[in-house]
Amino acid sequence: MSAGADSGGTAGRGLTAAHDAAGLRNVGICAHIDAGKTTLTERILFLTGVERYVGRVDEGTSVMDWMTEERERGITITAATTRVPWRGAEINLVDTPGHVDFTVEVERCMRVLDGAVVVLDGTKGVEPQTETVWRQVERRGLPAIAFANKCERPGADVLRCAEDIAERFGRRAVVVAYPIGGGDTDAPLTGVVDLVHMRAQALDAAGQRTLSKVPRSVADEAAVLRAELVDALAEIDEGLFAVVCEGRTPTSEELLAALRTQTLARTVVPLFAGAALMGHGVALLLDGVASVLPSPSEGRPPELFHVASGAPFDGAVPALLALNFKVHSKVRRGERSDLHFVRIYAGELGPGSRVWNGRTGHTEEIVAVLRIHASDVEHIERAGPGDVVALAGLRETGTGDTLTTEGADARLEPPTIPTPVLGYLVEPRSDKDRDGLRAALEQLAREDPSLHASLDPESGQWLLEGMGELHLAIAMARLSDEFGVEPRHGPPRVALRESVRASAVGVGLVDRAYGDAWGNARVEIELEPEAEPAAVPVVEFEGTALDLPRTARRALEGALLAESSSGPTAGHPVVGVTVRVTGATSERDSAPEVAWAQAGLAALRDALKHAAAKAAGIRLVEPWMSFVVDTPVDVSGGVIGDLNSRHAVMDEILSTGTVGRRVVGSAPLRELIGYSTELRSLSKGRATFSLRPRGLDFAPAGSSAGAPGASGEGPA
Ligand code: GDP
């Protein structure tokens, strides 16, 4: 039997019942860079008949990589979605970005998935970066299956991958596919054994699946692995346990049912195997997606939040709920056209549907509902709950927004955005580019709320801030490729903050006319350093300050928070302090709110001035990163010495195998700029590392943070 009949090809397109969610699968292929996600996706598109030829990443023809710079870099950053049919199921492949810089985007894409396919490099097993990806899958509580890729290569070892998953993820991996040849055997990879049905799956000349008996070369291993699969599942699955107790060998259906139940319960991770590059094992993996991963109705119900406060929402669920998880913008001849990728949780959307956005408070009309099939686009009349589609016609909706019924006070994503950690000073090449640059930066920030752009009116420069080096590099590339502005930019500068070392007090007094009213206000303030710097200062009221009317207190608090956005020594935002308003008095009966705000502001400046004048004065606070570096032992001395010189705090150094060392710790982000280049040269390309944001902390003693020029110079 060939897989041509399996897939149904493209024939069913357009006839798919949008409202039948039982056969729907919203899955993300989750992998770190180089594990083979793009190659696997291409292969899936080919197998399911959506693409007539297999695009090769290495040749730059990948159809999932929409944007030019992705093609140039060979990595996948934009989250698009593609619909593929597979044996009666309809699979929405949601492209999840794998780079750690894009955590906001990854999180959001994870939120719209019901299941995950985690790709490992079969020759490397679980790498530190795989753990980052896995943590994201875990955090969302997604049922997952895994795919050991590159199994034709020497060193590929599916059983070791299974052990790794158990050891590093703490989840039992059950091997459901076993390579025929490849790895460290002498034979080339010719296919995989489906251990549930005990059949061999190979490929015909056209790259489609053929089925046959399990070849003798792997018959023994396959038999042992199948017995292990049955035992492992019978231990935890009641249904299968009953079958085994009867003394029967379970049928494939019984085994599959147990596998599905336990995958959904997240007690096991089925491990598939193959080589995406040749296409081995990919059809079986798709069977797995269709047969063991959940449909939208089996996934967890979405969490809801109140629109403004972000507090958990427990009222009646609105009749329409859809999360906008990606905006894809193109500007052609000055006209912007956006595609909004949404996951629908409740209600239906079609052309002409009117949707309400609680963030903007506006209703917008959908012009078209589209289903994206890799490179071509299908207009559909209606999309229902559980579906992932693209919408055209929305003008004001941004990434992370919820589309719902008018006036509903519920949103799907909490309104928090992590503080950017790295920025560039950006300026137009000439004055005539100024408006274009402004429009382009605003557009980028709207698409991706983890990018911030702010204008310094004095210098005319923009500060473009984001989540890391690559994040900013991509934004810069888009500015020139898509928006046609080619701004100059300076070296990356880390977003530094200031904090005080010791407590300090300050007093502010105003006594002047405000229009017809006279304002007399005196505010006293005490600054108290916090042991661990939080991202924004805490404001507390005490003593006579408690007697202030609520509106005056609010004005005062607002002024204090605004003033603390620029610290006393270098103008960085002040964090890691509690601002206590200990007194607020007026010689008159009352004072206008603005008088309280101005007195508070003066008091805070006074206190910061006193703090800065003290011996230890001001402390710099900066973003830190946690790292895991894997290095061969013979170069580990140099790698560790280099980390020391970067003021890294090393938590542990472990042996990995006989010839490897793993260094786990954290360091200021500022010290890690350009680290990949340095590590490559120190280890001749043999060491690898992964980074993840650890939050704000004090700059290490003796580091150069805060020294002149440490925060970067202007554009070159
Ligand atoms: P991504 O970064 O996860 O999207 O990974 P890619 O799909 O771009 O693959 C990274 C590299 O691994 C490319 O050079 C691919 O050709 C290669 N690759 C992918 N799958 C296989 C495979 O099955 N076998 C081998 N040998 N190489 C593969």
Side-chain angles (χ1 to χ4, degrees):
M1 186 180 97
S2 99
D6 271 355
S7 67
T10 53
R13 227 194 263 186
L15 302 173
T16 46
H19 308 96
D20 176 17
L24 203 55
R25 299 288 177 272
N26 295 314
V27 295
I29 299 179
C30 303
H32 61 76
I33 287 168
D34 267 359
K37 180 174 76 179
T38 311
T39 309
L40 179 61
T41 307
E42 292 298 335
R43 216 9 113 155
I44 291 173
L45 298 184
F46 168 74
L47 261 186
T48 54
V50 176
E51 277 301 301
R52 280 178 305 279
Y53 62 95
V54 185
R56 288 272 294 267
V57 185
D58 306 321
E59 293 157 12
T61 58
S62 163
V63 287
M64 280 293 267
D65 288 355
W66 283 31
M67 292 173 6
T68 0
E69 69 274 24
E70 287 191 41
R71 220 164 281 166
E72 279 162 15
R73 285 161 193 267
I75 55 171
T76 308
I77 290 150
T78 328
T81 170
T82 293
R83 171 82 144 216
V84 298
W86 186 252
R87 309 185 76 188
E90 291 284 327
I91 303 171
N92 286 319
L93 286 178
V94 179
D95 193 14
T96 55
H99 193 278
V100 71
D101 274 359
F102 299 89
T103 27
V104 191
E105 205 180 339
V106 177
E107 291 284 322
R108 187 174 298 124
C109 295
M110 289 287 182
R111 190 167 284 147
V112 307
L113 304 179
D114 298 309
V117 177
V118 176
V119 183
L120 314 183
D121 181 330
T123 65
K124 296 192 176 141
V126 172
E127 300 171 77
Q129 295 153 301
T130 323
E131 293 184 38
T132 307
V133 170
W134 184 260
R135 260 193 305 272
Q136 277 152 352
V137 172
E138 279 290 280
R139 205 155 7 161
R140 297 240 64 88
L142 291 176
I145 62 181
F147 182 70
N149 191 27
K150 310 192 185 182
C151 278
E152 91 287 6
R153 280 207 182 158
D157 186 344
V158 178
L159 303 185
R160 204 196 69 205
C161 288
E163 281 166 22
D164 269 11
I165 291 175
E167 199 177 296
R168 308 276 282 283
F169 299 165
R171 278 246 233 129
R172 185 187 289 228
V174 288
V175 178
V176 294
Y178 191 71
I180 304 169
D184 288 334
T185 66
D186 296 331
L189 182 73
T190 54
V192 295
V193 179
D194 167 356
L195 292 170
V196 171
H197 297 94
M198 286 305 266
R199 289 185 300 214
Q201 306 203 348
L203 298 174
D204 64 18
Q208 298 289 349
R209 151 161 82 180
T210 59
L211 300 178
S212 58
K213 268 179 49 189
V214 176
R216 213 176 293 145
S217 60
V218 291
D220 290 348
E221 282 116 310
V224 170
L225 284 170
R226 176 151 215 278
E228 283 181 5
L229 175 63
V230 172
D231 286 352
L233 287 171
E235 245 177 58
I236 48 178
D237 190 84
E238 275 179 32
L240 200 67
F241 181 71
V243 171
V244 173
C245 285
E246 285 170 25
R248 277 200 298 120
T249 306
T251 63
S252 307
E253 288 69 31
E254 285 164 341
L255 196 51
L256 201 55
L259 191 63
R260 175 159 221 268
T261 309
Q262 298 308 321
T263 306
L264 296 192
R266 297 171 51 233
T267 47
V268 299
V269 178
L271 176 61
F272 293 78
L277 196 57
M278 292 98 227
H280 286 302
V282 178
L284 186 56
L285 179 70
L286 281 173
D287 291 349
V289 170
S291 58
V292 307
L293 285 179
S295 75
S297 56
E298 291 166 307
R300 296 195 311 181
E303 284 175 88
L304 292 177
F305 307 87
H306 284 285
V307 171
S309 69
F313 173 91
D314 44 19
V317 176
L320 174 67
L321 270 179
L323 177 69
N324 187 164
F325 65 95
K326 179 77 204 169
V327 181
H328 188 88
S329 279
K330 278 270 177 260
V331 179
R332 274 194 203 95
R333 290 179 227 105
E335 270 288 298
R336 201 183 85 222
S337 66
D338 291 352
L339 267 192
H340 291 80
F341 291 89
V342 299
R343 152 111 193 214
I344 305 172
Y345 290 89
E348 288 181 353
L349 293 176
S353 295
R354 294 177 66 76
V355 293
W356 193 70
N357 181 340
R359 183 183 61 81
T360 60
H362 291 164
T363 297
E364 297 194 72
E365 186 170 315
I366 293 168
V367 174
V369 179
L370 308 167
R371 187 154 281 152
I372 313 289
H373 302 271
S375 51
D376 84 40
V377 168
E378 173 197 2
H379 285 252
I380 52 177
E381 285 308 309
R382 277 151 117 199
D387 214 342
V388 175
V389 290
L391 307 177
L394 300 175
R395 302 231 102 216
E396 295 175 36
T397 296
T399 318
D401 284 351
T402 299
L403 301 176
T404 178
T405 45
E406 178 133 10
D409 180 32
R411 57 182 291 162
L412 286 151
E413 180 167 324
T416 48
I417 292 300
T419 333
V421 295
L422 201 67
Y424 283 136
L425 280 178
V426 178
E427 68 181 13
R429 280 199 191 273
S430 71
D431 251 0
K432 69 174 171 37
D433 294 341
R434 201 164 283 281
D435 288 345
L437 177 62
R438 170 194 296 269
L441 285 171
E442 284 171 356
Q443 175 60 26
L444 283 183
R446 204 153 47 82
E447 269 180 50
D448 175 359
S450 59
L451 274 177
H452 283 212
S454 50
L455 176 68
D456 175 358
E458 276 168 31
S459 66
Q461 293 172 336
W462 288 82
L463 177 59
L464 178 65
E465 292 178 295
M467 305 309 295
E469 268 183 291
L470 184 58
H471 193 202
L472 290 173
I474 299 283
M476 295 305 297
R478 290 193 57 194
L479 284 177
S480 29
D481 292 359
E482 278 175 46
F483 297 93
V485 287
E486 291 187 19
R488 291 186 296 180
H489 71 84
R493 40 187 261 167
V494 169
L496 296 172
R497 321 280 199 281
E498 298 177 24
S499 185
V500 299
R501 273 185 204 270
S503 45
V505 293
V507 180
L509 181 70
V510 297
D511 192 38
R512 50 166 280 206
Y514 290 92
D516 294 342
W518 193 265
N520 173 285
R522 184 176 194 277
V523 169
E524 289 167 37
I525 267 177
E526 197 177 302
L527 294 182
E528 190 74 53
E530 294 165 355
E532 282 181 25
V536 273
V538 180
V539 179
E540 290 175 357
F541 291 84
E542 284 179 6
T544 47
L546 287 171
D547 301 334
L548 282 177
R550 217 159 55 101
T551 49
R553 223 190 293 170
R554 220 182 274 152
L556 179 50
E557 178 170 0
L560 292 174
L561 288 175
E563 176 60 14
S564 65
S565 67
S566 162
T569 48
H572 307 306
V574 177
V575 299
V577 290
T578 302
V579 182
R580 217 165 274 137
V581 186
T582 50
T585 49
S586 172
E587 283 174 9
R588 304 189 165 224
D589 283 349
S590 66
E593 282 157 29
V594 50
W596 291 115
Q598 289 186 347
L601 203 142
L604 179 60
R605 273 188 209 152
D606 190 38
L608 285 171
K609 198 176 78 201
H610 288 144
K614 290 196 179 174
I618 298 295
R619 251 179 128 169
L620 277 171
V621 172
E622 57 182 329
W624 282 59
M625 303 296 278
S626 300
F627 62 75
V628 179
V629 180
D630 278 307
T631 167
V633 73
D634 57 309
V635 294
S636 63
V639 169
I640 291 170
D642 173 66
L643 284 169
N644 267 322
S645 73
R646 294 171 189 270
H647 297 96
V649 176
M650 283 170 254
D651 299 331
E652 53 184 355
I653 300 176
L654 308 164
S655 295
T656 47
T658 46
V659 293
R661 290 284 181 275
R662 169 167 299 172
V663 191
V664 182
S666 56
L669 165 67
R670 179 175 41 83
E671 300 277 6
L672 293 171
I673 291 173
Y675 183 58
S676 56
T677 317
E678 184 61 28
L679 185 67
R680 207 176 303 133
S681 88
L682 277 172
S683 68
K684 306 207 167 45
R686 290 153 64 219
T688 58
F689 75 108
S690 73
L691 295 178
R692 129 180 110 84
R694 208 204 73 190
L696 294 174
D697 208 340
F698 297 108
S703 81
S704 61
S711 55
E713 292 89 42

